[in-house]
Amino acid sequence: MAFHQLAINAAKYGALSTPEGCVGIRWWAEAGSEDATLVVEWREEGSPQVSPPQRQEFGSRLIERALAPDLGGSAALVFDPEGVVCTIRAALPDATQ
Ligand SMILES: Nc1ncnc2c1ncn2[C@@H]1O[C@H](COP(=O)(O)OP(=O)(O)O)[C@@H](O)[C@H]1O
Ligand SMILES: [Mg+2]
């Protein structure tokens, strides 16, 4: 659902609203003292000028507030003028246990 909201917003306001725009999705694992963390980054490029939103509606609320407790992690949306960046962090339980 979070990716669906990110994609809808990108198509309405962000990088996917222009022919040149694109979205890069990267993910990696970070070692920690206990569990590792899975980090997923959604980064929009070629977006029309982005300004911080006046209000947060369903899409950004779902991403920032509902996703984090589901994942045991965090989700942050940054309205960079170049394009929205969403960083999602989730605990990655040790698969060897
Ligand atoms: N990818 C994006 N690029 C630029 N602005 C965005 C993007 N996603 C969201 N926004 C801004 O954040 C506001 C809130 O988004 P959202 O909570 O999904 O509500 P809605 O889509 O109903 O407007 C949008 O109205 C828009 O101004
Ligand atoms: Mg939306």
Side-chain angles (χ1 to χ4, degrees):
M1 280 177 77
F3 273 102
H4 189 234
Q5 291 303 322
L6 284 168
I8 288 176
N9 283 352
K12 277 163 78 176
Y13 317 108
L16 302 184
S17 69
T18 64
E20 309 78 39
C22 66
V23 179
I25 302 172
R26 300 188 304 147
W27 60 94
W28 62 91
E30 278 177 11
S33 53
E34 290 179 18
D35 284 345
T37 303
L38 172 68
V39 187
V40 181
E41 181 195 77
W42 166 285
R43 180 177 291 272
E44 297 184 26
E45 282 171 21
S47 206
Q49 176 81 19
V50 174
S51 40
Q54 304 295 310
R55 59 192 173 79
Q56 284 208 320
E57 298 298 339
F58 178 75
S60 33
R61 283 208 305 266
L62 178 120
I63 294 158
E64 286 201 309
R65 295 186 214 159
L67 185 62
D70 268 6
L71 295 173
S74 64
L77 264 178
V78 174
F79 292 87
D80 190 295
E82 310 275 305
V84 160
V85 181
C86 180
T87 307
I88 299 164
R89 305 175 71 86
L92 199 59
D94 185 349
T96 61
Q97 282 179 2

